[in-house]
Amino acid sequence: MTRRPARLAYNDPCGSRRLRMALQPYLWRSRTVRCEVDQIIIVNGSQQGLDLCARLLLNSDDRFVMEDPGYLMARLVFSATGAAAVPIPVDVEGLDTERVAKIEARLAYVTPSHQFPLGGVMPIARRHQLLAWARKFDAYVIEDDYDSEYRYDTKPVPPLHALAGSEDVIYLGTVSKTLSPTLRIGYLVVPSELQPLFAAAKQITDRHTPLIEQEALATMLETGAYDRHVKRVRRRNGERRQILLALCAADLATESKSTAQPPACMWWSGFESAPNVRSSVDRGCSRQGRGHLSGRPPLQSSSSWPPASAGRYRACHGLRRTGGAPDRARLSASGSSGRSASFAAIVLVACPSNWTIKISDNWQF
């Protein structure tokens, strides 16, 4: 430590400059996000990024637009300011921007590249409509690009931040899905005029994000190790996903229906017998490796989870029916190398008359 006196002092609240200089070209080559180094704010995971946005952009008499269903933790942090949520339904193309057009609000929170939790990808026309809405009402758009590294069966769509007229977009990213959520490293790309405000808020909140982890991530980015890791994990998870989908399609083809687009969440419902589902799960596990995960339902902002047909249940580190015996909540799933926090995972929800299976590329367990 005496050889590196900088480690005995507080650092820049915006984060390690070395990491931000490494992130700048990475964001450009991976997501076509063009920004200055000073626009990047390193935060303790995406949740702190959302918290800073809420503190700085919302007052108690404001309104904010949320996807419905959407990410519950975002809605909670925005609502904590006293602002009122305006839930807007989503479809297979994400947020219905036609419904947003006449709503006056201070900000909109969206996951356009992979809608959470239903998986739709917002087309370019809707993205431009959303940017036009932000300009009309002098509002901000928070673009949560939480798992942009994982794309299957779809061509990448430019993020909102990369489009013309995106001056009011705040881009939010994280390494929780590619490395580990325990690292607590995320980043914001904020408009230049807001950078001093975010830097001051970050300093007041916790001085800065832990530096040693930032330096380690910077090394991975500088040496290309991070890119190689992402490429390897994307390929492996893609293989697991294909096996799982093929097994489900083969065993459940006459009993199921898909209600969302790949690559994200896929729903099948109407199962009359659980054994077929369990058989698919077990055979998928035996072919891909060992390991087991405890599943819980995703966090959403509306009552759409569980589906209306799913009966009564409650979540407690697994799923089980109210007043009934525990369901099979601890399931075998694809084995992991330990280098990625993202899995192709499945969760079964037991119902009085049917079964529902949910497949997702990015659930955290």
Side-chain angles (χ1 to χ4, degrees):
M1 297 296 285
T2 58
R3 295 180 182 178
R4 298 184 180 182
R7 292 189 177 178
L8 297 175
Y10 293 112
N11 201 260
D12 188 336
C14 295
S16 162
R17 186 162 186 84
R18 181 182 165 209
L19 175 56
R20 289 183 288 138
M21 290 182 68
L23 274 173
Q24 182 191 34
Y26 172 77
L27 290 173
W28 168 246
R29 67 176 179 267
S30 66
R31 295 297 287 143
T32 66
V33 170
R34 187 185 297 274
C35 65
E36 301 296 328
V37 171
D38 289 340
Q39 290 180 258
I40 302 174
I41 310 290
I42 306 299
V43 291
N44 295 331
S46 58
Q47 195 62 32
Q48 186 182 48
L50 295 173
D51 181 64
L52 292 178
C53 291
R55 292 170 184 259
L56 295 174
L57 303 179
L58 289 174
N59 293 319
S60 59
D61 56 348
D62 287 330
R63 300 197 299 171
F64 61 93
V65 170
M66 282 289 303
E67 298 168 325
D68 185 21
Y71 184 41
L72 179 59
M73 294 296 285
R75 178 169 181 166
L76 291 177
V77 75
F78 297 147
S79 297
T81 65
V86 182
I88 301 297
V90 301
D91 54 27
V92 294
E93 295 184 336
L95 185 74
D96 186 349
T97 51
E98 292 289 344
R99 298 184 180 226
V100 179
K102 297 181 180 180
I103 295 175
E104 184 173 359
R106 181 59 176 155
L107 66 81
Y109 170 84
V110 292
T111 52
S113 297
H114 188 180
Q115 200 277 327
F116 183 87
L118 300 184
V121 178
M122 184 182 290
I124 196 71
R126 286 194 178 186
R127 296 180 185 229
H128 283 296
Q129 286 178 336
L130 188 59
L131 293 177
W133 169 84
R135 291 191 297 270
K136 177 180 178 180
F137 291 105
D138 192 24
Y140 289 98
V141 176
I142 300 176
E143 179 179 17
D144 191 346
D145 205 8
Y146 63 94
D147 71 342
S148 59
E149 293 81 5
Y150 298 102
R151 288 291 175 270
Y152 308 101
D153 301 338
T154 59
K155 295 181 179 180
V157 179
L160 289 167
H161 195 282
L163 300 178
S166 62
E167 296 81 6
D168 299 318
V169 174
I170 297 174
Y171 184 85
L172 176 61
T174 178
V175 299
S176 292
K177 307 298 184 295
T178 54
L179 293 176
S180 171
T182 61
L183 282 175
R184 308 312 304 142
I185 294 181
Y187 48 88
L188 291 166
V189 179
V190 302
S192 298
E193 66 271 15
L194 294 182
Q195 192 276 344
L197 295 177
F198 274 85
K202 173 64 176 172
Q203 185 176 42
I204 293 171
T205 301
D206 63 358
R207 293 278 190 171
H208 58 76
T209 296
L211 189 62
I212 295 177
E213 290 87 343
Q214 293 186 62
E215 293 294 310
L217 179 57
T219 298
M220 291 185 69
L221 287 165
E222 291 168 350
T223 61
Y226 184 77
D227 295 73
R228 292 192 296 273
H229 164 77
V230 169
K231 184 178 180 180
R232 180 172 59 250
V233 172
R234 183 192 295 123
R235 183 184 69 252
R236 289 179 177 175
N237 283 343
E239 292 169 354
R240 294 167 180 151
R241 174 181 178 275
Q242 287 302 318
I243 290 176
L244 185 59
L245 294 179
L247 288 169
C248 288
D251 283 4
L252 310 172
T254 61
E255 306 175 42
S256 62
K257 60 182 179 179
S258 172
T259 58
Q261 300 298 314
C265 307
M266 303 186 73
W267 290 92
W268 282 274
S269 60
F271 302 128
E272 295 299 325
S273 59
N276 285 347
V277 179
R278 289 185 173 133
S279 174
S280 295
V281 174
D282 293 337
R283 291 200 290 120
C285 299
S286 62
R287 291 178 60 176
Q288 269 297 302
R290 61 185 181 277
H292 59 271
L293 306 173
S294 294
R296 23 176 135 184
L299 297 173
Q300 302 183 16
S301 65
S302 78
S303 59
S304 62
W305 174 277
S309 61
R312 297 176 297 136
Y313 81 99
R314 63 189 181 92
C316 52
H317 207 69
L319 306 176
R320 63 181 179 183
R321 290 190 296 270
T322 302
D327 298 324
R328 189 183 182 197
R330 189 168 295 274
L331 304 174
S332 296
S334 300
S336 169
S337 63
R339 288 174 288 191
S340 170
S342 180
F343 301 89
I346 60 179
V347 169
L348 302 182
V349 181
C351 311
S353 60
N354 63 10
W355 285 73
T356 299
I357 182 172
K358 178 158 185 163
I359 302 177
S360 173
D361 290 321
N362 59 358
W363 277 11
Q364 302 301 307
F365 294 84

